[in-house]
Structures are given as structure tokens and as C-alpha cells.
Amino acid sequence: MDQIISEKAASVLDFLEQLEAINKMISQHQDDTFMREQYIHKKKQIALELEGCLEYFDMSPKDLAA
């Protein structure tokens, strides 16, 4: 059976969903500096991993800012 979406594309989607969830957590913890900073740190880690996945598609974050 053929895959509907490639593994690399699924990874990109997964990272985007993780970023969406983390953004919600950052918003929920506006009054808790420690927790907000923890989520911001995690967001940066995920963004770096997403950047690595984009390289597979011969893209960089700069390509997305069109």
C-alpha cells in the first residue's frame, strides 16, 4: 500500500503541531515566568529540529518568509 504522505512530510507536520500546542502553553503561562521560559526553550528546540527537516526539502526558514 502506498503512503499518502512521506515520512519527512509527516515529521514536518508533527513539528508544526507541537509548536501549535507549545504556543497555547506559552499563552496559558503568561503569569508564570519560569514555566513560560521553559516552553519558549522547548519551542526553540523544536524550531531547530523543524529547520533540519526543511533541509530535506531543500528549504530554509528564509525561504518561508516570502
Side-chain angles (χ1 to χ4, degrees):
M1 181 177 200
D2 292 334
Q3 288 182 317
I4 294 175
I5 185 171
S6 73
E7 188 174 321
K8 291 291 185 182
S11 293
V12 170
L13 181 58
D14 182 54
F15 286 129
L16 293 174
E17 288 175 340
Q18 288 180 51
L19 289 171
E20 182 178 41
I22 287 173
N23 284 337
K24 289 178 185 176
M25 296 306 291
I26 291 170
S27 292
Q28 289 179 0
H29 288 91
Q30 286 299 317
D31 297 330
D32 186 340
T33 303
F34 176 76
M35 290 300 294
R36 190 178 68 248
E37 292 300 319
Q38 292 295 309
Y39 284 113
I40 289 171
H41 177 73
K42 181 66 175 171
K43 181 178 179 176
K44 289 177 183 178
Q45 288 178 318
I46 292 171
L48 286 174
E49 292 180 50
L50 175 59
E51 186 176 335
C53 283
L54 290 176
E55 288 176 5
Y56 174 81
F57 296 101
D58 196 25
M59 293 182 70
S60 74
K62 293 177 185 176
D63 295 331
L64 300 174

